[in-house]
Amino acid sequence: MAREAEWEGIRSAFEDPEEAAVISRAFDSFAQYERTAHWKATHARRQAFYSLPREQWQVLAGPPFNYLQTLERVDEAIDSNGDLARAIIKASLPAFVPAKPEGAEGADKEIEMPLKWVKTAKPQDIDKARCTIRQFFRDWSAGGEAERKLCYGPVMQALCNEKANKPTGQDSPLLKVLVPGAGLGRLVFDLTANGFDAEGNEISYHQLLGSSYILNMCEREGQHTIYPWIHSFSNHKTRENHLRGYQVPDVHPATRLAEAQKLGRVGTMSMVAADFLCLYSDKAHKDTYDAVAAVFFLDTAPNILRYLETIFHCLKPGGILVNFGPLLWHFEDDAPSKHNTDDEGNSGRLGTETNGIADPGSYELTDEEVMELVGRVGFMVESRETGLEAPYIRDTESMMQSVYKASTWVARKPESRSRKPSAFDL
């Protein structure tokens, strides 16, 4: 995937002052990750440790506990995670910060983050950077393969079944698949390697910066070692598990695509930075995609009806929506309307303009109610399975285990419209 094509959407967003502020905070949050992680994980613990009575901390400092050595090893692990954070910054900055002209003072130096960006990240931004680094375990390590098979597997199988029913000649177009909420881009990459034209959509700049680096700039398989479990000291059976590292990426994207090309057709790959509702509900995206692959995505909607209407709008007649995920409604306790109204309670919307996911209004449905809504929108549900085990960045060796019981289903847009017109038809 060419970098110019991938970053086109972000560059245009950078012209908006509010979006530019969000992007700069994302960069600064990766820059602050290491310092903040050291403070929270080890510095505060050292202070608490030495607050113990001397005879107690001396016991814990010696074998077999070696608590101070544990804190040193955690610091080293944080530094390793920080290597990845710095690589993301270094690889992405040239898309936003122009290089100095050849011959100018400092032109031979690496591009640095502008001073006005430094220390702009808010606590929630830094937390997103930490979560993004952890997510590399799920999407780009061999340790996360089991999770990927559980959630991406049913989606890939449904799409392969769909492809098997289409013409397969060398001149036949590949199925065009949209992946909203694409995160770090692993599903987009896997679809491309398996012969689909895949387009990822993501609104989080943390995820976009991370996916851009791993897909385009990472030089080799296993270039980085990340330690996803070091930020918490709870529920570890052994210290070795607490400090377990994983190499990322588990495959080098460019090398894997070249290998796939020798075995058959590979698709195209792109990533678009945009609010899903704002972009894909426009006229240009009407009847565009053969399939939409929604993995852990539908429950990010404050208004799932708008999600479903938008997906219906951008699918070709006869196209399919393949869903996999739970219903952890992301806005349950923090509806967008709380942030998007003036002092008199007005939403700020003018006419038919939309703020996308930030539009006011929020509600939560059960799985059965979601399926009813899918039919009301106009889809025909062709298959459905519930209760599928779906962990999310799970440490399988932890003393605390959490797992979703996900729902997966395939719904088709009819070849001919047989429902009432929606707002997107006007």
Side-chain angles (χ1 to χ4, degrees):
M1 175 168 50
R3 191 174 81 184
E4 290 76 12
E6 183 194 3
W7 285 109
E8 182 178 356
I10 299 184
R11 280 175 172 161
S12 62
F14 203 62
E15 297 171 1
D16 182 291
E18 292 185 6
E19 289 297 298
V22 175
I23 295 170
S24 62
R25 293 203 309 269
F27 273 104
D28 185 52
S29 67
F30 281 115
Q32 290 200 48
Y33 160 77
E34 207 168 338
R35 178 186 61 82
T36 304
H38 281 304
W39 175 267
K40 290 184 176 180
T42 58
H43 179 76
R45 282 186 170 84
R46 285 189 177 95
Q47 289 182 322
F49 183 78
Y50 284 118
S51 297
L52 294 169
R54 182 181 180 86
E55 61 273 15
Q56 292 183 5
W57 70 252
Q58 284 183 328
V59 170
L60 297 172
F65 310 104
N66 300 315
Y67 191 74
L68 293 175
Q69 291 183 24
T70 293
L71 297 183
E72 290 176 1
R73 293 176 66 188
V74 170
D75 278 330
E76 292 171 356
I78 290 171
D79 291 342
S80 187
N81 287 353
D83 289 340
L84 175 58
R86 286 189 295 274
I88 291 171
I89 295 171
K90 180 180 177 180
S92 303
L93 270 179
F96 304 97
V97 181
K100 293 183 179 180
E102 187 175 349
E105 183 179 354
D108 57 338
K109 296 181 180 179
E110 291 183 359
I111 297 176
E112 296 181 350
M113 199 168 70
L115 287 176
K116 64 180 180 180
W117 293 6
V118 175
K119 294 185 179 180
T120 58
K122 300 177 181 179
Q124 58 265 38
D125 298 314
I126 300 173
D127 188 57
K128 289 177 182 177
R130 177 184 61 80
C131 291
T132 299
I133 291 170
R134 288 183 70 238
Q135 191 164 330
F136 276 93
F137 161 78
R138 174 179 170 86
D139 271 8
W140 290 102
S141 80
E145 183 178 5
E147 283 194 20
R148 293 195 299 272
K149 284 184 176 180
L150 288 172
C151 64
Y152 297 159
V155 174
M156 186 68 74
Q157 184 61 58
L159 293 173
C160 287
N161 291 343
E162 186 73 4
K163 182 169 66 172
N165 295 322
K166 302 292 183 179
T168 57
Q170 196 65 28
D171 296 330
S172 301
L174 299 177
L175 292 188
K176 190 171 184 179
V177 182
L178 173 63
V179 183
L184 291 177
R186 183 57 185 258
L187 181 56
V188 174
F189 168 76
D190 286 345
L191 287 169
T192 302
N194 281 276
F196 296 91
D197 287 336
E199 177 180 319
N201 164 242
E202 180 55 56
I203 196 172
S204 165
Y205 291 117
H206 290 83
Q207 301 285 318
L208 287 160
L209 295 174
S211 65
S212 175
Y213 170 69
I214 211 71
L215 289 169
N216 298 307
M217 287 83 164
C218 193
E219 297 176 354
R220 58 181 172 82
E221 177 183 325
Q223 184 168 342
H224 300 278
T225 301
I226 61 165
Y227 296 83
W229 321 128
I230 57 170
H231 303 99
S232 171
F233 279 61
S234 298
N235 288 310
H236 295 293
K237 294 179 183 177
T238 68
R239 193 60 67 192
E240 292 308 312
N241 180 68
H242 179 203
L243 298 167
R244 187 171 38 170
Y246 303 83
Q247 291 186 324
V248 297
D250 60 321
V251 297
H252 183 241
T255 301
R256 176 57 63 86
L257 289 179
E259 293 171 348
Q261 182 71 61
K262 295 177 181 178
L263 299 175
R265 297 175 70 188
V266 300
T268 59
M269 178 169 57
S270 62
M271 190 79 89
V272 179
D275 183 305
F276 171 72
L277 294 176
C278 290
L279 179 61
Y280 293 98
S281 61
D282 67 11
K283 292 182 180 179
H285 288 87
K286 179 178 173 60
D287 299 343
T288 299
Y289 302 94
D290 296 289
V292 172
V295 180
F296 279 76
F297 175 70
L298 293 183
D299 58 0
T300 67
N303 181 351
I304 190 175
L305 179 57
R306 290 210 60 214
Y307 266 26
L308 293 172
E309 288 273 16
T310 301
I311 292 170
F312 194 96
H313 168 80
C314 69
L315 276 173
K316 296 177 182 178
I320 60 171
L321 164 59
V322 186
N323 176 71
F324 185 97
L327 291 177
L328 178 65
W329 297 107
H330 284 37
F331 290 94
E332 180 168 357
D333 298 316
D334 194 24
S337 55
K338 295 181 182 178
H339 310 287
N340 200 38
T341 56
D342 58 25
D343 292 339
E344 297 180 356
N346 299 314
S347 69
R349 294 183 63 188
L350 299 175
T352 58
E353 294 179 0
T354 176
N355 293 311
I357 199 172
D359 280 343
S362 178
Y363 54 89
E364 300 81 37
L365 300 181
T366 67
D367 191 49
E368 289 184 349
E369 290 168 340
V370 168
M371 299 313 300
E372 175 65 25
L373 198 61
V374 169
R376 295 288 183 95
V377 168
F379 285 102
M380 298 181 298
V381 178
E382 296 188 342
S383 65
R384 183 189 179 206
E385 190 174 356
T386 60
L388 298 179
E389 181 175 302
Y392 199 92
I393 315 182
R394 180 175 66 173
D395 176 6
T396 57
E397 299 300 318
S398 173
M399 297 172 69
M400 183 186 75
Q401 297 292 314
S402 59
V403 61
Y404 296 106
K405 294 293 186 178
S407 173
T408 185
W409 40 267
V410 177
R412 189 175 300 275
K413 178 178 178 178
E415 290 284 353
S416 60
R417 182 180 294 273
S418 59
R419 67 183 183 90
K420 296 180 181 179
S422 75
F424 299 121
D425 304 318
L426 302 179

CSV table of all heavy atoms in Angstrom, one decimal, residues 210-242:
chain,number,residue,atom,x,y,z
A,210,GLY,N,-0.5,3.6,14.1
A,210,GLY,CA,0.1,2.2,14.3
A,210,GLY,C,0.0,1.3,13.1
A,210,GLY,O,0.9,0.6,12.8
A,211,SER,N,-1.2,1.4,12.4
A,211,SER,CA,-1.4,0.5,11.3
A,211,SER,C,-0.5,0.9,10.1
A,211,SER,O,0.0,0.1,9.4
A,211,SER,CB,-2.8,0.5,10.9
A,211,SER,OG,-3.3,1.7,10.4
A,212,SER,N,-0.3,2.3,10.0
A,212,SER,CA,0.5,2.8,8.9
A,212,SER,C,1.9,2.3,9.0
A,212,SER,O,2.6,1.8,8.1
A,212,SER,CB,0.5,4.3,8.9
A,212,SER,OG,1.4,4.8,7.9
A,213,TYR,N,2.4,2.3,10.3
A,213,TYR,CA,3.8,1.9,10.5
A,213,TYR,C,4.0,0.4,10.2
A,213,TYR,O,4.9,0.0,9.5
A,213,TYR,CB,4.2,2.2,12.0
A,213,TYR,CG,5.5,1.5,12.3
A,213,TYR,CD1,6.7,2.0,11.7
A,213,TYR,CD2,5.6,0.4,13.2
A,213,TYR,CE1,7.9,1.3,12.0
A,213,TYR,CE2,6.8,-0.2,13.4
A,213,TYR,CZ,8.0,0.3,12.8
A,213,TYR,OH,9.2,-0.4,13.1
A,214,ILE,N,3.1,-0.4,10.8
A,214,ILE,CA,3.3,-1.9,10.7
A,214,ILE,C,3.1,-2.4,9.3
A,214,ILE,O,3.7,-3.3,8.8
A,214,ILE,CB,2.4,-2.6,11.7
A,214,ILE,CG1,3.0,-3.9,12.1
A,214,ILE,CG2,1.0,-2.9,11.1
A,214,ILE,CD1,4.2,-3.7,13.1
A,215,LEU,N,2.2,-1.7,8.5
A,215,LEU,CA,1.9,-2.2,7.2
A,215,LEU,C,2.9,-1.6,6.1
A,215,LEU,O,3.1,-2.3,5.1
A,215,LEU,CB,0.5,-1.7,6.7
A,215,LEU,CG,-0.7,-2.5,7.4
A,215,LEU,CD1,-2.0,-1.8,7.1
A,215,LEU,CD2,-0.8,-3.9,7.0
A,216,ASN,N,3.4,-0.4,6.4
A,216,ASN,CA,4.2,0.2,5.3
A,216,ASN,C,5.7,0.4,5.7
A,216,ASN,O,6.5,0.3,4.7
A,216,ASN,CB,3.6,1.6,5.1
A,216,ASN,CG,2.2,1.6,4.6
A,216,ASN,OD1,1.9,0.9,3.6
A,216,ASN,ND2,1.3,2.3,5.2
A,217,MET,N,6.0,0.6,6.9
A,217,MET,CA,7.4,1.0,7.2
A,217,MET,C,8.2,0.0,8.0
A,217,MET,O,9.4,0.0,8.1
A,217,MET,CB,7.4,2.3,8.0
A,217,MET,CG,7.1,3.5,7.2
A,217,MET,SD,5.3,3.7,7.0
A,217,MET,CE,5.2,5.4,6.5
A,218,CYS,N,7.5,-1.0,8.7
A,218,CYS,CA,8.2,-2.0,9.5
A,218,CYS,C,9.1,-2.8,8.5
A,218,CYS,O,8.7,-3.3,7.5
A,218,CYS,CB,7.2,-2.9,10.2
A,218,CYS,SG,8.0,-3.9,11.5
A,219,GLU,N,10.4,-3.0,8.9
A,219,GLU,CA,11.4,-3.5,7.9
A,219,GLU,C,11.4,-5.1,7.9
A,219,GLU,O,11.8,-5.6,6.9
A,219,GLU,CB,12.7,-3.0,8.3
A,219,GLU,CG,12.9,-1.5,8.1
A,219,GLU,CD,14.2,-1.0,8.6
A,219,GLU,OE1,15.0,-1.8,9.1
A,219,GLU,OE2,14.5,0.3,8.4
A,220,ARG,N,11.0,-5.7,9.0
A,220,ARG,CA,11.1,-7.2,9.0
A,220,ARG,C,10.2,-7.8,10.0
A,220,ARG,O,9.7,-7.1,10.9
A,220,ARG,CB,12.6,-7.6,9.3
A,220,ARG,CG,13.1,-7.0,10.7
A,220,ARG,CD,14.5,-7.4,11.0
A,220,ARG,NE,15.0,-6.7,12.2
A,220,ARG,CZ,14.8,-7.1,13.4
A,220,ARG,NH1,14.1,-8.2,13.6
A,220,ARG,NH2,15.3,-6.4,14.4
A,221,GLU,N,10.0,-9.1,9.8
A,221,GLU,CA,9.2,-9.9,10.8
A,221,GLU,C,9.9,-9.8,12.2
A,221,GLU,O,11.2,-9.9,12.2
A,221,GLU,CB,9.1,-11.3,10.3
A,221,GLU,CG,8.4,-12.2,11.2
A,221,GLU,CD,8.3,-13.6,10.7
A,221,GLU,OE1,8.2,-13.8,9.4
A,221,GLU,OE2,8.4,-14.6,11.5
A,222,GLY,N,9.2,-9.7,13.2
A,222,GLY,CA,9.7,-9.7,14.6
A,222,GLY,C,10.7,-8.6,14.9
A,222,GLY,O,11.5,-8.7,15.7
A,223,GLN,N,10.4,-7.4,14.3
A,223,GLN,CA,11.3,-6.3,14.5
A,223,GLN,C,11.3,-5.7,15.9
A,223,GLN,O,12.2,-5.2,16.4
A,223,GLN,CB,11.0,-5.2,13.5
A,223,GLN,CG,12.0,-4.0,13.6
A,223,GLN,CD,11.8,-3.1,12.4
A,223,GLN,OE1,11.3,-3.4,11.4
A,223,GLN,NE2,12.3,-1.8,12.5
A,224,HIS,N,10.1,-5.8,16.6
A,224,HIS,CA,9.9,-5.3,17.9
A,224,HIS,C,9.5,-6.4,18.9
A,224,HIS,O,8.9,-7.4,18.5
A,224,HIS,CB,8.9,-4.2,17.9
A,224,HIS,CG,9.2,-3.0,17.0
A,224,HIS,ND1,10.0,-2.0,17.4
A,224,HIS,CD2,8.8,-2.7,15.8
A,224,HIS,CE1,10.2,-1.1,16.4
A,224,HIS,NE2,9.4,-1.6,15.4
A,225,THR,N,9.8,-6.2,20.1
A,225,THR,CA,9.3,-7.1,21.2
A,225,THR,C,8.4,-6.2,22.1
A,225,THR,O,8.9,-5.2,22.7
A,225,THR,CB,10.4,-7.8,22.0
A,225,THR,OG1,11.2,-8.5,21.1
A,225,THR,CG2,9.8,-8.7,23.1
A,226,ILE,N,7.2,-6.6,22.3
A,226,ILE,CA,6.3,-5.9,23.2
A,226,ILE,C,5.9,-6.7,24.4
A,226,ILE,O,6.0,-8.0,24.3
A,226,ILE,CB,5.0,-5.5,22.4
A,226,ILE,CG1,4.2,-6.7,21.9
A,226,ILE,CG2,5.3,-4.5,21.3
A,226,ILE,CD1,2.8,-6.4,21.5
A,227,TYR,N,5.6,-6.0,25.4
A,227,TYR,CA,5.2,-6.7,26.7
A,227,TYR,C,3.8,-6.2,27.1
A,227,TYR,O,3.7,-5.2,27.8
A,227,TYR,CB,6.3,-6.3,27.8
A,227,TYR,CG,7.7,-6.9,27.4
A,227,TYR,CD1,8.5,-6.2,26.6
A,227,TYR,CD2,8.1,-8.1,27.9
A,227,TYR,CE1,9.8,-6.7,26.2
A,227,TYR,CE2,9.4,-8.6,27.6
A,227,TYR,CZ,10.2,-7.9,26.8
A,227,TYR,OH,11.4,-8.4,26.4
A,228,PRO,N,2.8,-6.9,26.7
A,228,PRO,CA,1.4,-6.4,26.9
A,228,PRO,C,0.9,-6.4,28.3
A,228,PRO,O,-0.1,-5.7,28.7
A,228,PRO,CB,0.6,-7.3,26.0
A,228,PRO,CG,1.4,-8.5,25.9
A,228,PRO,CD,2.8,-8.1,25.9
A,229,TRP,N,1.5,-7.3,29.2
A,229,TRP,CA,0.9,-7.5,30.5
A,229,TRP,C,1.6,-6.7,31.6
A,229,TRP,O,1.2,-6.8,32.8
A,229,TRP,CB,1.0,-9.0,30.9
A,229,TRP,CG,0.7,-9.9,29.7
A,229,TRP,CD1,1.5,-11.0,29.3
A,229,TRP,CD2,-0.4,-9.9,28.9
A,229,TRP,NE1,0.9,-11.6,28.3
A,229,TRP,CE2,-0.3,-11.0,28.0
A,229,TRP,CE3,-1.6,-9.1,28.8
A,229,TRP,CZ2,-1.2,-11.3,26.9
A,229,TRP,CZ3,-2.5,-9.4,27.7
A,229,TRP,CH2,-2.3,-10.4,26.9
A,230,ILE,N,2.6,-5.9,31.3
A,230,ILE,CA,3.4,-5.3,32.4
A,230,ILE,C,2.7,-4.1,33.1
A,230,ILE,O,3.2,-3.7,34.1
A,230,ILE,CB,4.8,-4.8,31.8
A,230,ILE,CG1,4.5,-3.8,30.7
A,230,ILE,CG2,5.6,-5.9,31.4
A,230,ILE,CD1,5.8,-3.1,30.2
A,231,HIS,N,1.6,-3.6,32.5
A,231,HIS,CA,1.0,-2.4,33.1
A,231,HIS,C,0.2,-2.7,34.3
A,231,HIS,O,-0.2,-1.8,35.0
A,231,HIS,CB,0.2,-1.7,32.0
A,231,HIS,CG,1.0,-1.3,30.8
A,231,HIS,ND1,0.9,-2.1,29.6
A,231,HIS,CD2,1.8,-0.3,30.5
A,231,HIS,CE1,1.7,-1.5,28.7
A,231,HIS,NE2,2.3,-0.4,29.3
A,232,SER,N,-0.1,-4.0,34.6
A,232,SER,CA,-0.8,-4.4,35.7
A,232,SER,C,0.0,-5.5,36.5
A,232,SER,O,0.5,-6.4,35.8
A,232,SER,CB,-2.2,-4.9,35.4
A,232,SER,OG,-2.9,-5.4,36.5
A,233,PHE,N,0.0,-5.4,37.8
A,233,PHE,CA,0.7,-6.4,38.6
A,233,PHE,C,-0.2,-7.4,39.2
A,233,PHE,O,0.2,-8.3,40.0
A,233,PHE,CB,1.5,-5.7,39.7
A,233,PHE,CG,2.8,-5.1,39.3
A,233,PHE,CD1,2.8,-4.1,38.3
A,233,PHE,CD2,4.0,-5.5,39.8
A,233,PHE,CE1,4.0,-3.6,37.9
A,233,PHE,CE2,5.2,-5.0,39.4
A,233,PHE,CZ,5.2,-4.0,38.5
A,234,SER,N,-1.5,-7.4,38.8
A,234,SER,CA,-2.5,-8.3,39.5
A,234,SER,C,-2.7,-9.5,38.7
A,234,SER,O,-2.6,-9.6,37.4
A,234,SER,CB,-3.8,-7.5,39.6
A,234,SER,OG,-3.7,-6.4,40.4
A,235,ASN,N,-3.1,-10.6,39.4
A,235,ASN,CA,-3.6,-11.9,38.8
A,235,ASN,C,-2.5,-12.6,38.0
A,235,ASN,O,-2.9,-13.4,37.1
A,235,ASN,CB,-4.8,-11.7,38.0
A,235,ASN,CG,-6.0,-11.4,38.9
A,235,ASN,OD1,-6.3,-12.1,39.9
A,235,ASN,ND2,-6.7,-10.3,38.6
A,236,HIS,N,-1.3,-12.5,38.3
A,236,HIS,CA,-0.2,-13.2,37.5
A,236,HIS,C,0.1,-14.5,38.4
A,236,HIS,O,0.4,-14.4,39.6
A,236,HIS,CB,1.0,-12.4,37.3
A,236,HIS,CG,0.8,-11.2,36.4
A,236,HIS,ND1,0.5,-11.3,35.1
A,236,HIS,CD2,0.8,-9.9,36.7
A,236,HIS,CE1,0.3,-10.1,34.6
A,236,HIS,NE2,0.5,-9.2,35.5
A,237,LYS,N,0.2,-15.6,37.7
A,237,LYS,CA,0.6,-16.9,38.4
A,237,LYS,C,2.0,-16.9,38.6
A,237,LYS,O,2.5,-17.3,39.7
A,237,LYS,CB,0.2,-18.1,37.5
A,237,LYS,CG,-1.3,-18.3,37.3
A,237,LYS,CD,-1.5,-19.5,36.4
A,237,LYS,CE,-3.0,-19.7,36.1
A,237,LYS,NZ,-3.2,-20.9,35.2
A,238,THR,N,2.8,-16.4,37.7
A,238,THR,CA,4.3,-16.4,37.8
A,238,THR,C,4.8,-15.0,37.3
A,238,THR,O,4.1,-14.3,36.5
A,238,THR,CB,4.9,-17.5,37.0
A,238,THR,OG1,4.8,-17.2,35.6
A,238,THR,CG2,4.3,-18.8,37.3
A,239,ARG,N,6.0,-14.7,37.8
A,239,ARG,CA,6.6,-13.4,37.3
A,239,ARG,C,7.0,-13.6,35.9
A,239,ARG,O,7.0,-12.6,35.1
A,239,ARG,CB,7.8,-13.1,38.2
A,239,ARG,CG,8.3,-11.7,38.0
A,239,ARG,CD,7.2,-10.7,38.3
A,239,ARG,NE,6.9,-10.7,39.7
A,239,ARG,CZ,5.8,-10.0,40.2
A,239,ARG,NH1,5.0,-9.4,39.4
A,239,ARG,NH2,5.5,-10.1,41.5
A,240,GLU,N,7.4,-14.7,35.4
A,240,GLU,CA,7.8,-14.9,34.0
A,240,GLU,C,6.6,-14.6,33.1
A,240,GLU,O,6.8,-14.1,32.0
A,240,GLU,CB,8.3,-16.3,33.8
A,240,GLU,CG,9.7,-16.6,34.5
A,240,GLU,CD,10.7,-15.5,34.2
A,240,GLU,OE1,10.9,-15.2,33.0
A,240,GLU,OE2,11.3,-15.0,35.1
A,241,ASN,N,5.4,-15.0,33.5
A,241,ASN,CA,4.2,-14.7,32.7
A,241,ASN,C,4.0,-13.2,32.6
A,241,ASN,O,3.7,-12.7,31.6
A,241,ASN,CB,3.0,-15.5,33.2
A,241,ASN,CG,1.8,-15.1,32.3
A,241,ASN,OD1,1.7,-15.5,31.2
A,241,ASN,ND2,0.8,-14.4,32.9
A,242,HIS,N,4.1,-12.6,33.8
A,242,HIS,CA,3.9,-11.1,33.9
A,242,HIS,C,4.8,-10.4,32.9
A,242,HIS,O,4.5,-9.4,32.3
A,242,HIS,CB,4.2,-10.7,35.3
A,242,HIS,CG,4.1,-9.2,35.6
A,242,HIS,ND1,4.7,-8.6,36.6
A,242,HIS,CD2,3.4,-8.3,34.9
A,242,HIS,CE1,4.5,-7.3,36.6
A,242,HIS,NE2,3.6,-7.1,35.6
